[in-house]
Amino acid sequence: MQELTHWINGRHVKGTSGRFADVMNPATGEVQARVPLATKAELDAAVADAAKAQPAWGATNPQKRGRVMMAMVGLINRDMDKLAEALSREHGKTIPDAKGDVQRGLEVIEYCIGAAQMLKGEFTDAAGPGIDMYSMRQPLGVAAGITPFNFPAMIPLWKMGPALSSGNAFILKPSERDPTVPLMLAELFKEAGLPDGVLQVINGDKDSVDAILDNETIQAIGFVGSTPIAEYIYGRGCSNGKRVQCFGGAKNHMIIMPDADLDQAADALIGAGYGAAGERCMAISVAVPVGKETADRLVEKLVPRIEKLKVGPYTAGNDVDYGPVVTAAAKANILKLVESGVEQGAKLVVDGRGFKLQGYEDGYFVGPHLFDDVTTDMDIYKKEIFGPVLCTVRADSYEEAIGYAMDHEYGNGTAIFTRDGDTARDFASRINVGMVGINVPIPVPLAYHTFGGWKKSGFGDLNQHGPDAFRFYTRTKTVTSRWPSGLKEGGEFHFKAMD
Ligand code: NAD
C-alpha cells in the first residue's frame, strides 16, 4: 500500500511517529494509502527549519516572490489533469468539480503575483518640516494553516499564496482524509523556485494541530473546518498570543420570492444544494420560499430535477452529477440526521435512503434528499448536514424569511432570488451573513475580494484572500523620520505641523 510522507525542506520525508491514518477511496470504500501522523517533535523540527529559511525569503524583493507565484500558475495549469485526478480519487468529487477546486485556488495564486502592489505601504511626505512618515508591511515570520477535506487544493492555495508571497515561511497541516494534492502542490512550489524549507507540509491529526497551537515560533494560524474545531483553535491559539483566523461551518439559506423566476431558482438549488454531494461550506442547505404558492410550485419543480440527478464515481465521467461523501462516518451521520428529520415531523419529499450503486456497494454514496415543511426546532435545520439534503422552510412573508437566515447561528453565505431591486437591496443591506448572492446561489467572492462568514461561521477579524489576506500575513511598522533640513537655525525643531 502507498505510504504518504511529509514535505520538509524541499523533499518527501517519511513519518517517524509510527502512527498513520488510512486514506480511503470513497467510491469503493477501500484503503488506498496511509498518511503519517506527525508528533510534536516532528512538527517543532519542521518549524525550526522553516524559521531558518524565512529571513532570506522575507528579504527577497516582493516582485521576485511574485514571479514564483507566476511560475506556479503555469505549473498548476500544466498539471491540472493530474491534480484533479488525485483529488477526485481521495475526495470523491467529480473531475469537473475537482478542476473547479484547483481553479479557485489557482486564482488566488494569480492574485498573489501582485504581491509587490499589495505590500508597497503608505508614505506621507512632509508630515512636519523635514519629517516624513511611512508605514510598511513586514512578514510575520512563520505562519501555519490547518485545512479541511472538502477543498484539498483550493483552501491550501488560499493560504499558501498570500502567506508565502508576503515573505513568510508557511507550515501547512492539510486534512488527513485527502493529503495527496497538498503534497503535489508543495512539489510544484519547489519547481516554481520557492527555496527549500519555506513551505513545509506536515500531515497529522489533533496531535500535530495542538503542536502548531503551542509552538512559540508560529506567529499566525489560518484555519478552515467545522465550527467546534474552529472555536477550539481560535481560543487556544489566541490565548497563546497568536494571530488567528478560523472559518467554520455553515447553514446557507436561499430565499425565493414570489416574483422570482422559479425555473432559474430550482436549477440554482440543484447545483448549490447537491453539487459536490453538498460537501461545500457555500452549499445551499435551506430553501425558504415565500408564500404557499411559491413553495408548492418550487417543490413541484425541484422533485423531477432531483430525481434525474446521477450519483456515481468520478471515473464515470460526465455521466455523474455528484460522487460519494468522504467517509463512512460522514455517510452514517447524514443518514442519522435524515432519520431525525422524519421522526421530528418533516416531510421527506424525495427519499434517498435506499440508494445503492451496483458495483460500488461499499462506497459512501448517499442518494439525494428533499425535505419540505421543515421547522426551526428540528435537528436537520439547526445542524450542518454536509450532505445531499435540501431542507425547505416555508415562510409567509419576506420579513419571516429574512428572519430565519438572521436568527440562524451560522452566517457563511446566503442568497435571494427575486426580480425586485428594492427587496434585493434591503436583503443585502440587512442580512447578518458574510457573503450574499442576488440571483446567484453560491456567491463565492473572486480572489481579489475577501471570503469569510459571520457569526459561528467565522472567528477573527480578517477574511481569506483579497486585501485582507495580505493584512493577515503581515504586520505594519510605521516609521517617522526627521532630517536636518527640518532644523531651524540654532537647532530648534519645527514640530508645529505635527502638534
Ligand atoms: P474538521 O473540522 O473535521 O477538520 C478540519 C481540520 O481540523 C483538519 O485538518 C483536521 O485534521 C483538524 N482537526 C479535526 N479534528 C480536530 C481536533 N479535535 N483537534 C484539532 N484539530 C482537528 O472539518 P472537515 O470535516 O475536514 O471539513 C468540513 C467542515 O469544514 C464543514 O463544517 C465545512 O462547513 C467547513 N468548511 C468551512 C469553510 C469556510 O470557509 N467557512 C470552507 C470549507 C469547509
Side-chain angles (χ1 to χ4, degrees):
M1 187 199 310
Q2 192 194 1
E3 187 174 315
L4 299 172
T5 59
H6 306 296
W7 178 265
I8 300 172
N9 300 339
R11 61 190 183 87
H12 289 280
V13 173
K14 281 191 164 206
T16 58
S17 68
R19 291 201 309 125
F20 293 89
D22 288 337
V23 179
M24 311 303 293
N25 178 337
T28 61
E30 286 163 356
V31 180
Q32 55 180 328
R34 56 181 201 159
V35 60
L37 304 174
T39 60
K40 178 168 167 44
E42 285 172 294
L43 183 281
D44 286 344
V47 173
D49 287 346
K52 281 188 212 131
Q54 188 274 329
W57 174 244
T60 305
N61 81 53
Q63 208 167 354
K64 283 192 180 156
R65 296 198 301 257
R67 282 187 203 125
V68 172
M69 300 296 141
M70 189 148 42
M72 188 66 182
V73 168
L75 295 173
I76 294 175
N77 276 319
R78 181 195 73 189
D79 286 1
M80 178 64 86
D81 290 345
K82 265 204 275 185
L83 288 162
E85 213 277 334
L87 198 157
S88 293
R89 194 165 7 100
E90 290 183 356
H91 178 285
K93 63 175 78 171
T94 62
I95 292 285
D97 254 342
K99 286 189 177 168
D101 189 330
V102 179
Q103 176 65 29
R104 292 312 289 263
L106 174 68
E107 287 166 13
V108 170
I109 302 296
E110 285 172 345
Y111 176 66
C112 292
I113 293 172
Q117 171 71 12
M118 298 309 300
L119 298 170
K120 72 183 180 193
E122 295 166 343
F123 186 85
T124 301
D125 176 41
I131 297 176
D132 301 321
M133 195 175 286
Y134 59 96
S135 299
M136 49 187 164
R137 296 204 158 274
Q138 295 192 319
L140 302 171
V142 182
I146 301 160
T147 54
F149 81 85
N150 68 324
F151 282 99
M154 179 182 89
I155 295 176
L157 286 168
W158 282 9
K159 306 216 169 291
M160 295 191 279
L164 293 170
S165 59
S166 299
N168 298 284
F170 190 68
I171 312 292
L172 176 72
K173 206 303 282 171
S175 170
E176 61 274 44
R177 315 242 177 278
D178 41 19
T180 292
V181 168
L183 290 167
M184 291 168 78
L185 294 172
E187 287 174 4
L188 293 184
F189 264 118
K190 183 181 168 94
E191 197 179 338
L194 190 72
D196 292 348
V198 171
L199 170 64
Q200 318 275 49
V201 180
I202 302 298
N203 283 305
D205 57 1
K206 180 170 169 40
D207 283 4
S208 37
V209 170
D210 286 346
I212 289 172
L213 292 169
D214 295 341
N215 182 288
E216 287 183 2
T217 303
I218 292 174
Q219 299 295 309
I221 300 176
F223 169 86
V224 180
S226 59
T227 289
I229 310 298
E231 286 178 315
Y232 166 69
I233 288 175
Y234 192 70
R236 186 156 161 179
C238 288
S239 71
N240 283 344
K242 300 185 191 312
R243 185 180 291 189
V244 189
Q245 57 171 199
C246 292
F247 301 92
K251 197 80 181 175
N252 304 320
H253 292 53
M254 176 168 136
I255 295 174
I256 302 99
M257 296 300 292
D259 65 352
D261 178 327
L262 285 189
D263 285 305
Q264 196 191 56
D267 288 340
L269 281 168
I270 297 298
Y274 301 95
E279 289 177 323
R280 289 180 182 141
C281 69
M282 289 293 278
I284 294 290
S285 47
V286 181
V288 190
V290 174
K292 182 175 180 332
E293 196 195 330
T294 314
D296 290 345
R297 285 177 54 218
L298 182 72
V299 171
E300 205 174 281
K301 285 179 186 293
L302 283 172
V303 172
R305 286 170 165 85
I306 296 169
E307 285 171 348
K308 262 194 233 140
L309 284 170
K310 291 190 201 116
V311 185
Y314 77 92
T315 43
N318 292 337
D319 283 345
V320 168
D321 292 304
Y322 71 82
V325 297
V326 69
T327 56
K331 176 175 175 174
N333 183 50
I334 293 163
L335 292 177
K336 193 170 138 208
L337 278 164
V338 169
E339 288 307 330
S340 81
V342 174
E343 278 159 25
Q344 290 170 13
K347 192 162 138 200
L348 189 55
V349 184
V350 178
D351 183 353
R353 285 175 295 180
F355 183 84
K356 289 251 167 347
L357 192 65
Q358 211 183 356
Y360 293 89
E361 287 77 6
D362 294 330
Y364 314 135
F365 294 96
V366 179
H369 295 77
L370 175 67
F371 276 111
D372 197 358
D373 293 331
V374 174
T375 53
T376 55
D377 54 341
M378 295 177 183
D379 287 344
I380 49 170
Y381 180 74
K382 289 190 282 192
K383 296 187 177 173
E384 183 182 39
I385 303 176
F386 224 53
V389 183
L390 181 64
C391 295
T392 308
V393 178
R394 293 174 172 235
D396 287 333
S397 65
Y398 166 67
E399 283 303 325
E400 187 186 339
I402 191 173
Y404 289 137
M406 304 250 306
D407 289 345
H408 204 285
E409 65 172 354
Y410 290 119
N412 209 39
T414 189
I416 188 165
F417 273 60
T418 180
R419 289 188 172 101
D420 183 67
D422 275 350
T423 310
R425 191 172 184 283
D426 180 79
F427 182 74
S429 159
R430 278 167 61 198
I431 194 75
N432 54 0
V433 169
M435 293 169 281
V436 182
I438 296 169
N439 300 316
V440 172
I442 308 188
V444 175
L446 291 175
Y448 39 94
H449 287 264
T450 70
F451 179 110
W454 290 15
K455 300 185 275 183
K456 293 253 174 188
S457 298
F459 304 85
D461 56 0
L462 288 170
N463 280 350
Q464 304 195 87
H465 63 65
D468 270 12
F470 284 93
R471 293 186 191 114
F472 183 75
Y473 290 110
T474 55
R475 57 187 144 207
T476 308
K477 184 183 281 174
T478 303
V479 178
T480 306
S481 69
R482 181 171 60 196
W483 290 98
S485 62
L487 286 174
K488 252 191 185 176
E489 269 174 41
E492 189 193 333
F493 286 102
H494 284 284
F495 253 130
K496 278 217 162 58
M498 301 276 296
D499 292 340

